[in-house]
Amino acid sequence: MTYATAKEAGFDFLRDRIADERGALVHRPFHFALVDEADSILVDEARIPLVISGADDRAAWDARRMAALVRDLAPARDYETDGENRNVFLTEAGADRTEKVLGVADLYAAENQRLLEAVYCALHAEALLRRDIDYIVRGGRIEIVDEFTGRVVANRHWPDGLQAAVEAKEGLARKTEGRILGSITLQHFFRLYPALCGMTATARSAAHEFKEFYGLDTTIVPPHAPSARRDFPDEIFTHRAAKRRALVGEIRRVHAAGRPILVGTASVKESEELASELGAAGVVLQILNARNDELEAGIIAEAGRPGAVTISTNMAGRGTDIKLGGADESGRERALALGGLYVIGSNRHETLRIDRQLRGRAGRQGDPGSTRFFISLEDDLFERYGLTKMFFKRHRLAPGPDAVPSGPLHREIEHAQRVIEGQSFDIRRSLYKYSSLLELQRGLIQAKRDEVLLNAAGDPGPGLFAEREPELFAAAARRFGAGRLADWERRLTLFHLDRCWSEHLAWIQDTRESIHLVSLGGKTPIDEFQKAATAEFFELENRIADAVVAEMAALIQKDGASVQDLERLKGPSSTWTYLVNEDQFGWGMEFLKGKNIGFAAMAMAAYGPLLMLVLMMQKFRKKKKPPAEVNPPVGPG
């Protein structure tokens, strides 16, 4: 039995995929997997690719120059953001200013495509990614904060251009990801197990996804002790300031009685601001967020002690067991008498499952406890999805210091969360369609690679080179011996197979970023992607075979050929693993199926700045005609 995190098991699998010796393999065959917190691993994080990379000497654009350029651009005048604050695009004045600084005639011309991408990555980093909310800077590195847990996710990266842009924005040294050698999503990794099961306290709302993607049924196991937890209705305020005042007042009131309190916040920034206000009011507390995650165990151990106030991001949510009375439970009886742990949420989340995980820190094992959410209609969740104005208009609300009646509004908020969950599910389904073809190709390539690697000690009979060049092989066999030729061919095959597969992954990534263009011509992106990726894969085997045969011939015909000539065929001297956070750019291509440009624009606004570029280029082209000698901008027609 092996006990490991899902990501490390996946990374071990990827490392095995580039091993050049049988003894370097560490991952055992797939048999059975039992996944804890299954909805988090198999649903929320399932679409985040695990990536292994090696050294790459390809030149990149000057991210620092782009960061300085966009820093001088002014909001509204030079660029605008969409209603959900997910996408940013240059205005006509901003494009003119950018072209002047960069010295190009038309930023949207075909030859400036990479430059345009660089500008938009820098603009996205400057305008949309927020320090201490989306990421923190620690130890000279950008560390991304997981939106579901509030923890720093080790080695998670944004897509390469955006990662470079954020590092340049913060004045940090570039830490390149290099050439991708292999990748797999957790979704596809766990599907490799013939037997798969999991457990989580919040499985019911994700049951349809477990069934669709993994073929797993969901069974509800009742708790051994009835729940005594009380979930109070939300306290809903029209604006943030009123919510903050009420939140501080509630914490001070409950704290005065000595009851332990856990407050869940949405970001590092919010947790620190709330802690500062409470500290100024004389409340002694502990703060837990991505900055001090190494102290997590000690802080959580005492969070249930009478008088304890703990302000935390979602780190204190999923799976955390807070014992009443503290680590030694010496204050358990008093904590029970006071009503148990009081959990307060300062924001609603995009999924009701995350809200339920936070509530679940109270009232465990039949203990008493209570929960309540304090929310405002100006919270990021509502502003991001354009709900703030709708709520104000529909319920005829006016800003005020008191909570508003929560009955109908509460039901609408939960309905909005379910709609958002449905949109996220549609994105995951779309991503699955795109990644499934790549996973099928990876399986075929891996089967070929395993055949070459694992049969290394087998019969060194004639191989590809003998079939293609029988006369040259016969002469070489007399000179070097058939065994040595077989070893050379094995090493050359592994080398070129890995190199060509890496190039194929890069091609797939570039194609996925641009395939949405076909929707403007009335074609379906997923169909066109599969056609293009299939045709490219059919050429892959020929390229590998041609490279192996050509290099074998060159090696054999070289005077004094020796094993030193094969030293370069070893894998990269160093590799590193990381995760790509695809959420920042999204893949809403499944929504771009027809000629309905209005609907396409809505999907682009919801699912990624790179998709937004297409319509922005069209809009800009109508306003600004390029000079006759300049190539027309990228776009349909």
Side-chain angles (χ1 to χ4, degrees), residues 50-65:
L50 283 65
V51 177
I52 186 167
S53 291
D56 186 7
D57 56 1
R58 290 176 296 177
W61 40 264
D62 190 346
R64 288 182 179 272
R65 183 188 180 197

Side-chain angles (χ1 to χ4, degrees), residues 189-314:
F189 174 69
F190 279 109
R191 284 174 60 87
L192 295 174
Y193 285 92
L196 175 67
C197 67
M199 51 190 173
T200 175
T202 48
R204 180 178 296 173
S205 60
H208 59 296
E209 292 198 49
F210 290 133
K211 186 66 174 179
E212 177 169 338
F213 293 137
Y214 303 98
L216 298 176
D217 294 319
T218 300
T219 300
I220 307 299
V221 180
H224 77 281
S227 174
R229 190 186 75 214
R230 296 184 63 189
D231 297 327
F232 291 103
D234 295 351
E235 290 286 321
I236 304 175
F237 298 85
T238 56
H239 56 290
R240 289 191 184 94
K243 179 187 80 169
R244 182 65 61 81
R245 284 194 299 269
L247 186 57
V248 171
E250 176 76 351
I251 295 171
R252 292 182 64 186
R253 181 186 67 80
V254 176
H255 175 62
R259 188 178 180 186
I261 303 171
L262 171 69
V263 184
T265 62
S267 67
V268 173
K269 181 180 180 181
E270 185 185 15
S271 68
E272 292 176 344
E273 289 176 349
L274 179 58
S276 177
E277 288 191 34
L278 289 169
V283 177
V284 178
L285 55 85
Q286 290 283 348
I287 184 170
L288 174 61
N289 59 38
R291 293 193 199 279
N292 63 341
D293 50 4
E294 72 279 1
L295 304 177
E296 178 179 359
I299 293 174
I300 291 299
E302 298 298 327
R305 187 177 296 279
V309 175
T310 308
I311 311 295
S312 176
T313 54
N314 288 342

Side-chain angles (χ1 to χ4, degrees), residues 1 30 98 144 154 251 266 310 322 430 477 499 501 516 548 572 601 611:
M1 181 178 294
F30 292 92
T98 301
I144 297 176
I251 295 171
T310 308
I322 299 176
S430 178
R499 179 184 61 81
W501 178 245
H516 59 279
V548 171
L611 301 182

Side-chain angles (χ1 to χ4, degrees), residues 404-581:
V404 299
S406 63
L409 193 54
H410 173 80
R411 288 191 292 272
E412 281 200 38
I413 289 172
E414 289 205 338
H415 174 72
Q417 286 180 290
R418 287 191 289 270
V419 170
I420 294 169
E421 285 178 345
Q423 291 177 353
S424 297
F425 171 65
D426 288 339
I427 295 173
R428 288 192 288 269
R429 177 186 282 159
S430 178
L431 286 168
Y432 180 76
K433 292 178 180 179
Y434 280 87
S435 59
S436 291
L437 177 61
L438 181 62
E439 179 59 19
L440 175 63
Q441 294 177 349
R442 186 205 59 76
L444 294 173
I445 285 291
Q446 193 56 49
K448 174 64 176 177
R449 196 181 194 284
D450 288 343
E451 178 185 350
V452 174
L453 178 64
L454 300 180
N455 290 341
D459 180 14
L464 174 66
F465 183 67
E467 295 175 4
R468 290 275 195 96
E469 300 286 349
E471 294 181 4
L472 190 56
F473 173 81
R478 291 190 296 270
R479 178 183 174 192
F480 299 105
R484 179 178 292 185
L485 289 183
D487 180 61
W488 287 359
E489 183 170 329
R490 177 186 69 86
R491 295 172 68 176
L492 282 166
T493 301
L494 291 175
F495 174 78
H496 288 292
L497 192 150
D498 290 344
R499 179 184 61 81
C500 291
W501 178 245
S502 177
E503 292 173 352
H504 184 69
L505 289 176
W507 181 89
I508 288 287
Q509 183 176 350
D510 290 342
T511 302
R512 278 182 50 168
E513 288 181 357
S514 60
I515 196 67
H516 59 279
L517 286 166
V518 303
S519 66
L520 300 175
K523 298 181 180 179
T524 305
I526 182 63
D527 293 341
E528 298 306 311
F529 172 80
Q530 290 179 342
K531 291 177 185 177
T534 300
E536 182 72 13
F537 185 75
F538 284 150
E539 294 297 322
L540 186 63
E541 185 175 5
N542 291 332
R543 289 200 301 272
I544 295 170
D546 291 344
V548 171
V549 171
E551 192 152 358
M552 277 288 290
L555 185 64
I556 289 170
Q557 293 170 358
K558 179 181 178 181
D559 292 335
S562 67
V563 71
Q564 281 72 29
D565 294 306
L566 299 175
E567 284 300 310
R568 72 174 187 84
L569 302 183
K570 291 183 178 180
S573 58
S574 63
T575 61
W576 51 96
T577 55
Y578 59 92
L579 299 96
V580 173
N581 187 356

